[in-house]
Amino acid sequence: MTNILLTGGAGYIGSHTYVALVSAGYRPIILDDYSNSHPGVIARLEDITGQPVAHVRGSVLDVAMVSALIEQHAVQAVLHFAGFKAVGESVAEPLKYFDNNITGTVRLMQAMERAGCRALVFSSSATVYGDPAAVPITEAFPLAHTSPYGYSKIACEHIIAAMLAAKPDWHASVLRYFNPVGAHPSGLIGESPQGVPNNLMPYVAQVATGKRAHLNVWGADYPTPDGTGLRDYIHVMDLAEGHVAALDALLQTGRSFTVNLGTGAGHSVLEVVRAFSLACGHAVPYKICERRPGDIAQCYADATLALQLLGWRAQRTLADMCADTWRWQSRNPDGYHEAAIA
Ligand code: WQD
């Protein structure tokens, strides 16, 4: 049994990747400080997988604890999900993002080195491309940050590259996510943002359940087919399976790589609203508003390299993403924050 450590494994992407790893025969262990996730997800994961979940409450900043955890479980690789990811918050609280995201990654790698585990899968983001000169975006595009959050991801990519150059026995897979949305088809786990959702899909889902009155469409004057922002939405289960494919490749070949994890197609805000209305069976009210500062018009992946390197491509459609989101949201209108969840 190959033991894998998932930092931030109780979070949105981490929890779905946990399910995919168990399905693929790995033994994942969750490490989470629950600063941006909820312990209620553990019981849900046990329901889905039918087996106990190995989990530890703690921070990646605690080198001694993480190093001991890696040794205790003979961890063969680490998937590093733990990190803050709200662009707007990062502008208001840059040090919080630099400490958690950058220092956290450095401390994690120190713990890995101390424990002799040198295989890392890193959660990066399409935000590292800034405002791209063209679409679709390939991995060769220049990196440019447009927020402290984006800077933290670029910094971590450089730190990992420096470690790979210095230590030939290290290998890493950097995965640049586009826009993760959706939920596990069971409706037991999904995205459970704290407070008012920044991202489109969870906000639309909360409008659909009546928790929010309407969606504010941030701008309808972009140079796109219907004037609203275009993004590469990828189902979180496709993303999870992309992590399994990347881990398989990393452990089997020992070669490092950076790939986009996207569908290669873009959808506008209004296309998402229409698709969600079909999924939930009623209209999703919205208002056209001014652009949100910092937003870009279009962002979608060239997904060729992931297919070439990993034999992986996204399978699920926008309709699947909306149907699975609706099932999760309608059954858990307050996410994991309901009192009923232990
Ligand atoms: C998508 C589209 C908005 C909310 C961000 C981060 C990125 C990644 C994913 C972490 C845009 C529009 C949104 C709303 C709207 N996170 N929108 N009304 O900004 O593409 O990416 O999340 O890695 O790093 O930057 O995602 O979902 O916020 O916006 O009209 O209430 O929906 O203008 O066109 P974004 P998003």
Side-chain angles (χ1 to χ4, degrees), residues 36-325:
N36 195 28
S37 55
H38 194 287
V41 73
I42 300 297
R44 299 295 183 90
L45 290 175
E46 289 176 341
D47 288 347
I48 292 171
T49 60
Q51 60 187 33
V53 170
H55 61 101
V56 173
R57 181 191 286 261
S59 167
V60 291
L61 293 163
D62 184 344
V63 176
M65 180 276 289
V66 175
S67 175
L69 188 62
I70 291 171
E71 286 178 345
Q72 177 192 348
H73 291 277
V75 167
Q76 299 300 300
V78 177
L79 274 60
H80 182 31
F81 296 102
F84 296 141
K85 68 159 190 103
V87 171
E89 185 189 40
S90 79
V91 174
E93 300 280 351
L95 294 183
K96 173 181 176 181
Y97 274 68
F98 297 154
D99 189 40
N100 192 52
N101 292 8
I102 300 175
T103 309
T105 300
V106 170
R107 294 273 178 85
L108 170 66
M109 292 172 77
Q110 287 172 326
M112 290 173 67
E113 179 68 7
R114 187 182 295 184
C117 174
R118 299 183 177 92
L120 174 67
V121 177
F122 177 70
S123 296
S124 192
S125 165
T127 201
V128 302
Y129 296 115
D131 188 355
V135 283
I137 301 169
T138 76
E139 291 82 355
F141 272 33
L143 306 188
H145 65 278
T146 54
S147 69
Y149 164 66
Y151 178 88
S152 77
K153 288 299 182 182
I154 292 174
C156 288
E157 289 201 18
H158 286 311
I159 289 164
I160 291 165
M163 196 62 177
L164 295 178
K167 309 277 182 181
D169 53 351
W170 269 75
H171 39 280
S173 161
V174 173
L175 304 180
R176 292 172 178 165
Y177 308 165
F178 279 69
N179 288 62
V181 297
H184 187 266
S186 65
L188 288 169
I189 59 174
E191 192 168 9
S192 179
Q194 294 172 354
V196 179
N198 296 301
N199 296 137
L200 178 67
M201 190 64 90
Y203 200 103
V204 166
Q206 290 188 10
V207 171
T209 58
K211 190 181 178 77
R212 309 271 172 208
H214 66 272
L215 168 75
N216 295 311
V217 176
W218 301 131
D221 58 350
Y222 284 103
T224 62
D226 66 14
T228 63
L230 211 68
R231 296 293 186 273
D232 186 334
Y233 299 100
I234 176 171
H235 196 295
V236 66
M237 287 313 296
D238 277 326
L239 195 66
E241 289 160 11
H243 282 74
V244 174
L247 179 63
D248 288 344
L250 198 63
L251 293 179
Q252 286 158 20
T253 69
R255 278 199 297 274
S256 300
F257 54 89
T258 295
V259 291
N260 291 334
L261 292 187
T263 67
H267 291 287
S268 73
V269 175
L270 293 182
E271 281 181 275
V272 171
V273 170
R274 272 194 296 276
F276 207 94
S277 298
L278 288 174
C280 69
H282 58 261
V284 174
Y286 65 87
K287 284 181 183 171
I288 303 294
C289 304
E290 290 302 307
R291 295 183 179 189
R292 178 171 64 175
D295 272 357
I296 60 178
Q298 301 192 65
C299 179
Y300 57 90
D302 178 321
T304 311
L305 188 57
L307 182 58
Q308 287 171 347
L309 277 186
L310 309 178
W312 171 91
R313 68 167 64 174
Q315 304 290 330
R316 295 160 179 91
T317 65
L318 181 61
D320 298 328
M321 299 174 208
C322 292
D324 292 339
T325 301

